Amino acid sequence: MKTKFYQYSFFQGKTIPVVDAKVSIMTNALQYGTAFFGGIRGYFDKDQNAAFIFRFDDHYNRFLSSANILGCKFPYSHGELKKITTDLIKKNKPNTNFYLRPFAYVGHTELGPNLANTTLDFALYMIPLGDYLPVDKGLSLVVSSWERISDNAIPSRGKISGSYVNSALARKEATDGGFDEAIMLNRYGRVAEGSAENLFIIRNKTLITPSLSEGVLEGITRRSILKICENLGIKTLERPVEKSELYIADEVFLSGTGCQIAWVEKIDKRTIGSGKIGEITKKLQKIYFEIVRGKSSDYSHWNTKISIS
Ligand code: PMP
């Protein structure tokens, strides 16, 4: 399948057509996965000819913290990253919802995996993006035989490229088995997350999600959902979750910038709850879509509006 993309990218300090943004096959990051990335959504509003960027600051905070985790120098400040991104959006004049992919990578061509004394290169491109996973039908998930990589192997707090081989293996297993997505358990056999999504269960009206120390990404959607629930008076718990709890949960859903809020109908071929979208998931999905589309004044501080003129 060919990915559609917006014409311009930021590459090696310049704005150039994405088709010309090319690296050598000898690039260290390509060989060893020595890179990290971000994933930011823009929701396009036709009436206002503007895009709403969800939690712009938080995304670049997490992005820069990956540079710190790798212990590498990074050439741009938080403010510069936001400016480069805003300029690129305006230059590409999007007319759809889109996804921004900032990418930091070891761009030299020396042999051997080594992050010492390294300054990272930076690139950014954007693609049109609808739903990454369906949000209007229930997903069928499978608990993966692949274990979620642990923090002491490749830190799960960073979006580090090499660690996504772990996600890709789980996703392949799920797809090959006819499932929509995988659930990964951590090294202790407890629930961690999806291949690229955080996971929530609801039991007796309480929203539960694995703690951050369970080897999960510090998801920005995850954090937003916890805050929305707090504001709605829904009880939340961040604690270890075991596999069998998934099967007996009233509701299960996945969250992420890509998947947004996607509800789960089946896990390992067992029906979850009533087999329909649950009451709390439905409520959260509705509020989430209002927020990211700039339609909720209570959460407008989470959005950055960029006029496309
Ligand atoms: N876990 C993993 C492994 C991911 O790649 C993602 C996508 N960034 C998420 C969770 C969800 O994080 P966020 O809500 O910040 O997109």
Side-chain angles (χ1 to χ4, degrees):
M1 198 175 64
K2 221 166 163 221
T3 304
K4 292 204 174 88
F5 53 83
Y6 279 102
Q7 189 182 359
Y8 293 103
S9 64
F10 183 85
F11 181 69
Q12 295 181 342
K14 292 194 211 82
T15 303
I16 61 165
V18 71
V19 290
D20 297 328
K22 290 183 179 152
V23 295
S24 159
I25 55 163
M26 289 167 65
T27 303
N28 192 271
L30 187 59
Q31 298 289 331
Y32 304 108
T34 45
F36 62 84
F37 60 92
I40 309 173
R41 256 192 194 268
Y43 290 84
F44 179 68
D45 185 311
K46 204 169 158 206
D47 297 333
Q48 302 187 57
N49 198 23
F52 290 97
I53 310 300
F54 187 58
R55 306 200 73 162
F56 206 9
D57 283 322
D58 300 277
H59 275 284
Y60 275 129
N61 283 339
R62 184 175 67 192
F63 186 76
L64 287 173
S65 70
S66 288
N68 222 16
I69 288 171
L70 292 188
C72 294
K73 287 201 199 75
F74 185 76
Y76 299 104
S77 68
H78 189 274
E80 285 166 337
L81 285 170
K82 281 181 69 182
K83 165 117 184 36
I84 291 167
T85 308
T86 307
D87 290 349
L88 191 74
I89 294 169
K90 285 176 177 280
K91 175 100 182 151
N92 273 321
K93 298 194 190 319
N95 56 4
T96 62
N97 292 341
F98 57 90
Y99 184 79
L100 292 153
R101 169 49 56 83
F103 183 52
Y105 60 101
V106 179
H108 67 64
T109 51
E110 278 164 42
L111 195 65
N114 187 355
L115 293 166
N117 307 316
T118 301
T119 301
L120 296 158
D121 284 356
F122 174 69
L124 174 69
Y125 65 88
M126 58 191 269
I127 58 171
L129 190 68
D131 295 333
Y132 174 77
L133 285 171
V135 289
D136 46 3
K137 85 166 187 79
L139 300 177
S140 168
L141 308 190
V142 64
V143 174
S144 184
S145 68
W146 294 99
E147 180 181 296
R148 167 81 177 150
I149 204 155
S150 74
D151 197 59
N152 282 335
I154 304 180
S156 29
R157 275 182 187 77
K159 283 177 71 71
I160 296 168
S161 299
S163 71
Y164 280 83
V165 174
N166 185 229
S167 298
L169 285 167
R171 190 86 197 243
K172 171 178 163 50
E173 185 182 53
T175 308
D176 288 350
F179 298 93
D180 296 305
E181 180 53 296
I183 297 175
M184 302 189 74
L185 306 182
N186 64 21
R187 63 192 293 209
Y188 305 107
R190 296 192 297 258
V191 175
E193 58 183 340
S195 72
E197 309 87 14
N198 291 111
L199 181 141
F200 289 82
I201 65 172
I202 292 149
R203 296 192 64 192
N204 303 320
K205 312 253 178 250
T206 299
L207 183 102
I208 305 162
T209 192
S211 326
L212 292 176
S213 53
E214 294 293 289
V216 303
L217 183 77
E218 297 194 354
I220 290 167
T221 321
R222 175 189 182 279
R223 200 185 321 146
S224 307
I225 289 166
L226 288 168
K227 187 71 196 164
I228 296 166
C229 284
E230 190 190 309
N231 293 346
L232 290 173
I234 297 170
K235 190 173 168 209
T236 62
L237 284 175
E238 294 175 73
R239 64 150 172 83
V241 173
E242 292 183 314
K243 182 170 81 168
S244 59
E245 267 198 292
L246 297 172
Y247 303 149
I248 59 169
D250 303 322
E251 303 177 33
V252 177
F253 66 86
L254 298 175
S255 79
T257 300
C259 86
Q260 307 166 109
I261 293 180
W263 71 278
V264 176
E265 183 181 337
K266 288 192 167 156
I267 299 177
D268 291 345
K269 303 200 169 160
R270 292 158 173 85
T271 300
I272 304 304
S274 65
K276 302 218 163 57
I277 185 166
E279 201 187 307
I280 295 182
T281 309
K282 200 170 175 177
K283 193 176 203 174
L284 289 172
Q285 219 184 41
K286 182 169 176 287
I287 296 174
Y288 183 77
F289 282 123
E290 281 168 8
I291 295 173
V292 293
R293 291 181 182 135
K295 308 258 181 270
S296 165
S297 52
D298 293 345
Y299 294 92
S300 54
H301 56 287
W302 282 351
N303 282 325
T304 304
K305 185 173 159 185
I306 296 177
S307 299
I308 319 288
S309 47

